[in-house]
Amino acid sequence: MTVPDYSVVVPVYQGQATLRKLAKQLRHFFEAHGYSFELIFVHDCGPDDSWRVIRDLRQEWGAEVVRAVRLARNFGQHNALLCGFRHARGRFFITLDEDLQHDPADIALLIRRQQEADYDVVYGCYEAIRHAGWRNLSSGLLRRLLRAGIPDLHPDYSPFRLLKASVGGHCLEMRNSYTFLDGYLTWVTAHVGSVPVSHSPRAVGQSAYTIRKLLRHSLNIFVTFSDAPVRLLTYASVLVFLLTTLYSGYILLRKLLYNDLLPGFASLIIAIGFGVGLLLLGMGILGEYIHQINLKTTRRPNYVEAETLD
């Protein structure tokens, strides 16, 4: 069986109106550049008739060009991508969205960037994001929070990616409480590049991501991949202890020098301060234990060989 150069993995949720056009653009790009390819559409049980379109494309273009997977229920974008990786046969994997906001012609930029330094992963970073206004604002804020909470996360991470098949294979080995492909990639490799690409307005319909879903998605990522919330509790307890200690010293000096304080008030504030500090410290320590348990129960590679010279 011939191994294609590139496997394009597209998670499909509501792509009935865009899939055929996307497939034609992808096919035109790869045939024009002389690359062998396969298109892998993973239907994530969306509300429209995308599965019929995928089956029609497979019947028209053949099983060697179009590969189709229909999930039993909605598992989410990142799980759908991993499913596509499991079925991919190419030397490189390319991921992009179904909604025509990513231009297939920009795949040439990803390929060229990857070849410059043999990167394991190359992200397409947007010169200008063409989401709705609220989505741009919320996505930008959540992206900054994620980058602060997960320092190893590449600053230009996006759904438009090119990665080596070996890197995708390592991602398939991982198991944890929440699937976040870009988090997995930070565990596999640090040899990551990016290149500016275009980002078009959504062709039809609306994004399946609401503010509520974005918040839940980001919260799950924080809990699974970042220790920032736990460390924040610990730092807060230290700050409360420090402020309470300074206030206690101030009260003691004022008592000795002026003796003009109302009885009971200062001692109550000090008791509350030290009590809150102890509670925060205890929550931080407990959270650290839980985070370490989460890391221990997460299946991820102990090491990944970038190159071997025998």
Side-chain angles (χ1 to χ4, degrees), residues 138-150:
S138 59
S139 295
L141 178 60
L142 294 176
R143 179 179 289 268
R144 291 186 182 91
L145 291 174
L146 287 179
R147 281 189 290 195
I150 312 174

Side-chain angles (χ1 to χ4, degrees), residues 5 47 288:
D5 295 323
E288 187 67 37

Side-chain angles (χ1 to χ4, degrees), residues 249-262:
Y250 164 76
I251 291 299
L252 179 61
L253 287 175
R254 191 171 184 90
K255 177 68 174 177
L256 294 175
L257 295 176
Y258 302 104
N259 194 23
D260 59 350
L261 296 173
L262 293 175

Side-chain angles (χ1 to χ4, degrees), residues 122-247:
V122 175
Y123 285 110
C125 61
Y126 309 134
E127 296 176 314
I129 300 177
R130 304 290 184 177
H131 290 308
W134 69 267
R135 175 76 186 277
N136 288 340
L137 180 62
S138 59
S139 295
L141 178 60
L142 294 176
R143 179 179 289 268
R144 291 186 182 91
L145 291 174
L146 287 179
R147 281 189 290 195
I150 312 174
D152 293 335
L153 189 64
H154 195 276
D156 295 328
Y157 79 93
S158 77
F160 195 20
R161 322 170 183 84
L162 182 149
L163 57 146
K164 293 180 178 178
S166 58
V167 173
H170 284 299
C171 291
L172 290 174
E173 298 172 2
M174 299 183 188
R175 296 288 186 276
N176 65 350
S177 58
Y178 190 75
T179 303
F180 179 47
L181 178 57
D182 301 295
Y184 288 171
L185 293 174
T186 64
W187 288 343
V188 173
T189 180
H191 193 41
V192 180
S194 64
V195 62
V197 297
S198 60
H199 190 253
S200 304
R202 189 177 181 89
V204 294
Q206 295 180 343
S207 173
Y209 279 103
T210 63
I211 292 181
R212 180 180 178 181
K213 288 183 178 180
L214 284 172
L215 287 172
R216 186 170 62 217
H217 177 61
S218 300
L219 179 61
N220 284 325
I221 293 172
F222 260 106
V223 171
T224 306
F225 293 89
S226 175
D227 61 355
V230 175
R231 297 294 167 85
L232 188 62
L233 281 176
T234 305
Y235 296 152
S237 69
V238 173
L239 178 62
V240 171
F241 271 121
L242 180 61
L243 291 177
T244 305
T245 301
L246 291 175
Y247 181 72

